[in-house]
Amino acid sequence: MKSARNVAFGALAGSALLLLLLALALVLGSVVVAGIPALARGSTDGLAAATVGTALVTAIMTLLGVPFAVITAVYLAEYAPECSTTTRWVRAAVRALAGVPSIVFGLFGLGFFVLFVGRGMDRILYPGLGAVFGRPCVLWSGATLAVLTLPVVIVTTEEALRRVPRELREAALALGATKLETTFVVVLPAARVGVLTGVVLAIGRGAGEVAPILFTGAANFVPDLPTDVRAMFMHLGFHLYALSTQAADVSRSRPAAQATALLLLLVTLALNGTAIALRHRASRE
Amino acid sequence: MTTTRHQAKIETRSLTVSFDEKRVLTPIDVSIAAHGVTALIGPSGCGKSTFLRALNRMHDTVERAEVSGEVLLDGEDIYHRDVDPVAVRRRVGMVFQRPNPLPGSIFDNVAFGLRVAGHTAPQAIPERVERALRRAALWSEVKDRLRAPASALSGGQQQRLCIARAIAIEPDVLLMDEPCSALDPIATEHVEALITELKARYTVVLVTHSLAQARRVSDHTAFFYLGALVEFGPSERVLLAPDDERTRSYVRGAIG
Ligand SMILES: Nc1ncnc2c1ncn2[C@@H]1O[C@H](COP(=O)(O)OP(=O)(O)O)[C@@H](O)[C@H]1O
Ligand SMILES: [Mg+2]
């Protein structure tokens, strides 16, 4: 009876794994097989700009989001009184943020970053000059993606901070370090692998997202490489979406779409790979 | 800082500590003279560590701990509301039960306290580090690998590193919480020799579970039992001919 059940479960688990591998092979295989010849022909305009644009928006996302997330995690792990109402609300907000659909982040980015922050900056910095910051651009797309990826960085960093042993904090405090010095000179470096894990996960989520950048900066076609964070930009994911839904003749644009899909896969892999390599190096030190 | 008057280095007045409102020390009044080693003995859980950590305001870093009463250091209450706990910890150093080197090199560990205090010019730090390592009897073993990670040292070396690190900032008092309990007999011997050296310069308060160690290194001994200070006096008397019945049974090995 028991062994029959074991066999049944084994078969079930095995076929689930097989199905998963099959799906993976199909998706990756079709993208790679179709993408390589299309890419080799190199006839598609805007791919270079879209590749650089994807890397750029991901970099901006990381630079803006990670420090903010780390500070929040430090507050939650080191400073927030455990059972205060504020702490409970901050935690609830982080959890809620993680569950918000990404298209809502896109609308939020348009309303908050482009219209509120951007226009506000224009009014103060460039009165009467028209829209400089107050329009969709790669900066606001990066900022929107940063908000989208905040929860994952906050949660992983906070867990990593809590795992730093108390003895280490006491060592620093007993040597006359202030709490701030202990936190930033001893505890945070000791938790750096956890922080970088959060960054890996954030890049994994953020690099391929299209919805948050739809209204905040992605452009249909800007063939020049991006040089200004205040300009709109091309993004591989958005480019793929545009090619496959908006072209006049979808069958003509198919090779371009296949090349774009392959590039998107490669860029996401490369970004993830860099983050994972960094994390690996930090964990060996 | 006048210790010429016959004043205690540390004096506690009705010192108690509670965790979550639960008192673990019966009010303690004790007076510890400058220089020399004072051993704190007693069965585990009787409050030795709790008492020790009250002397450098370490309990301030624990949310549920609350200290009341006074701890006078050179006659001044370290719990007075104008006193900065960070300044107290620079004068009252601490060595923990298990060696706890900071991540980073041997050099960085000893330099840490000097760097955060910020009084030492960067070019003077190597000299101060060397002096501290010499005083901790570790210099000859590590002088060729100051940049190696501290975690590469043996347990006994790590504990002497922790002592070097604590004395690098030149405190007046050194608190040690069972510093040898994680060490083998040879490393223990090294650390005990070091403690005997250190008492010329520092006032040492040493928690130990070993009566033999208390006898070897201490001048005064305090016996704690169930959160109360039962007996305090010269070590020979407390350890060999105690007045109190509870102390007598503890040193005979009957309790604890
Ligand atoms: N952080 C803490 N939170 C709650 N109770 C504690 C804490 N530290 C110590 N205690 C309690 O205080 C009492 C004395 O502990 P301690 O000072 O560590 O004893 P000793 O060092 O003599 O073995 C024990 O009953 C212990 O449970
Ligand atoms: Mg103890």
Side-chain angles (χ1 to χ4, degrees):
Chain A
M1 181 67 192
K2 200 170 178 187
S3 77
R5 218 183 272 168
N6 275 349
V7 170
F9 274 121
L12 218 60
S15 39
L17 178 66
L18 209 68
L19 206 68
L20 220 86
L21 288 177
L22 206 68
L24 186 69
L26 270 175
V27 172
L28 290 185
S30 66
V31 168
V32 171
V33 167
I36 287 176
L39 199 59
R41 253 177 279 131
S43 58
T44 44
D45 291 324
L47 271 190
T51 307
V52 176
T54 306
L56 179 65
V57 79
T58 310
I60 293 175
M61 166 195 94
T62 311
L63 287 179
L64 293 181
V66 169
F68 196 85
V70 167
I71 303 235
T72 310
V74 163
Y75 172 75
L76 285 175
E78 307 288 321
Y79 288 89
E82 209 33 67
C83 31
S84 83
T85 331
T86 327
T87 316
R88 275 213 308 278
W89 276 98
V90 173
R91 270 181 219 290
V94 170
R95 265 201 307 277
L97 206 60
V100 172
S102 49
I103 188 70
V104 177
F105 280 101
L107 286 170
F108 162 78
L110 176 67
F112 182 73
F113 289 120
V114 179
L115 298 179
F116 178 71
V117 180
R119 292 246 169 109
M121 282 167 73
D122 284 349
R123 223 170 297 129
I124 294 161
L125 298 173
Y126 309 99
L129 248 173
V132 179
F133 280 103
R135 53 188 185 154
C137 65
V138 64
L139 176 64
W140 301 140
S141 284
T144 309
L145 286 171
V147 179
L148 173 90
T149 51
L150 277 181
V152 64
V153 186
I154 293 175
V155 169
T156 39
T157 304
E158 188 190 344
E159 274 169 15
L161 290 170
R162 289 193 186 280
R163 276 199 307 269
V164 173
R166 180 156 179 84
E167 289 89 66
L168 210 57
R169 295 163 213 268
E170 294 195 334
L173 291 168
L175 289 167
T178 60
K179 174 141 187 182
L180 198 68
E181 287 162 340
T182 304
T183 303
F184 283 94
V185 181
V186 176
V187 180
L188 199 53
R192 68 193 180 286
V193 175
V195 179
L196 288 171
T197 304
V199 176
V200 172
L201 294 172
I203 289 177
R205 167 116 204 250
E209 282 279 355
V210 176
I213 63 172
L214 273 180
F215 324 115
T216 54
N220 263 321
F221 200 65
V222 188
D224 299 325
L225 296 187
T227 51
D228 188 344
V229 296
R230 296 169 304 184
M232 291 183 78
F233 70 111
M234 286 184 79
H235 183 277
L236 287 166
F238 182 70
H239 192 53
L240 182 59
Y241 165 74
L243 282 173
S244 17
T245 59
Q246 290 166 5
D249 182 353
V250 175
S251 64
R252 283 258 299 284
S253 66
R254 179 155 303 147
Q258 285 161 339
T260 310
L262 178 60
L263 269 178
L264 180 58
L265 210 65
L266 290 178
V267 169
T268 342
L269 274 179
L271 287 170
N272 271 306
T274 316
I276 290 172
L278 270 176
R279 179 178 170 266
H280 188 68
R281 235 186 56 189
S283 70
R284 272 185 321 170
E285 264 165 23
Chain B
M1 269 201 263
T2 47
T3 40
T4 40
R5 271 192 308 131
H6 216 76
Q7 184 186 43
K9 188 73 195 174
I10 302 172
E11 190 180 338
T12 68
R13 292 190 183 156
S14 310
L15 176 67
T16 65
V17 180
S18 327
F19 294 104
D20 295 328
E21 325 267 290
K22 203 177 135 265
R23 241 193 209 184
V24 301
L25 290 183
T26 320
I28 288 179
D29 294 82
V30 70
S31 172
I32 295 170
H35 305 294
V37 178
T38 301
L40 311 182
I41 60 168
S44 73
C46 67
K48 306 180 295 292
S49 299
T50 303
F51 174 77
L52 196 72
R53 291 161 61 88
L55 304 183
N56 69 341
R57 292 193 63 167
M58 215 56 193
H59 289 303
D60 289 31
T61 65
V62 179
E63 224 173 274
R64 46 216 281 246
E66 182 154 336
V67 179
S68 69
E70 292 178 358
V71 176
L72 309 183
L73 178 63
D74 290 325
E76 284 176 37
D77 183 16
I78 63 171
Y79 284 96
H80 189 275
R81 68 184 145 71
D82 295 337
V83 174
D84 178 7
V86 171
V88 170
R89 292 186 206 120
R90 286 185 187 147
R91 291 179 58 197
V92 185
M94 187 161 217
V95 175
F96 297 83
Q97 191 161 354
R98 284 216 320 223
N100 53 354
L102 296 163
S105 70
I106 295 169
F107 185 92
D108 289 340
N109 263 272
V110 185
F112 182 87
L114 298 170
R115 287 178 179 149
V116 294
H119 302 312
T120 321
Q123 60 273 23
I125 286 182
E127 186 197 316
R128 296 275 301 267
V129 169
E130 176 175 343
R131 200 188 324 157
L133 285 167
R134 278 187 194 284
R135 268 188 211 149
L138 192 59
W139 176 250
S140 59
E141 287 158 71
V142 300
K143 64 174 187 291
D144 299 320
R145 48 173 174 153
L146 292 173
R147 298 290 162 189
S151 53
L153 297 174
S154 73
Q157 289 173 325
Q158 283 185 15
Q159 197 60 303
R160 278 179 286 148
L161 180 69
C162 291
I163 295 172
R165 178 174 82 175
I167 60 184
I169 52 176
E170 311 206 324
D172 299 342
V173 178
L174 204 52
L175 309 176
M176 305 176 119
D177 194 350
E178 302 193 27
C180 300
S181 65
L183 305 185
D184 62 48
I186 293 175
T188 299
E189 208 173 295
H190 274 129
V191 172
E192 283 183 8
L194 182 55
I195 294 170
T196 318
E197 289 274 305
L198 291 174
K199 72 177 185 185
R201 289 181 152 270
Y202 308 96
T203 305
V204 178
V205 184
L206 170 78
V207 174
T208 177
H209 62 259
S210 154
L211 294 174
Q213 181 170 69
R215 209 170 300 133
R216 284 192 295 269
V217 301
S218 74
D219 304 294
H220 288 84
T221 293
F223 173 65
F224 281 73
Y225 190 63
L226 300 177
L229 175 63
V230 171
E231 192 158 354
F232 179 70
S235 294
E236 311 92 86
R237 188 179 63 69
V238 176
L239 294 168
L240 299 175
D243 291 336
D244 193 279
E245 184 52 45
R246 290 162 294 179
T247 319
R248 210 169 302 146
S249 21
Y250 181 74
V251 299
R252 271 205 323 260
I255 51 176

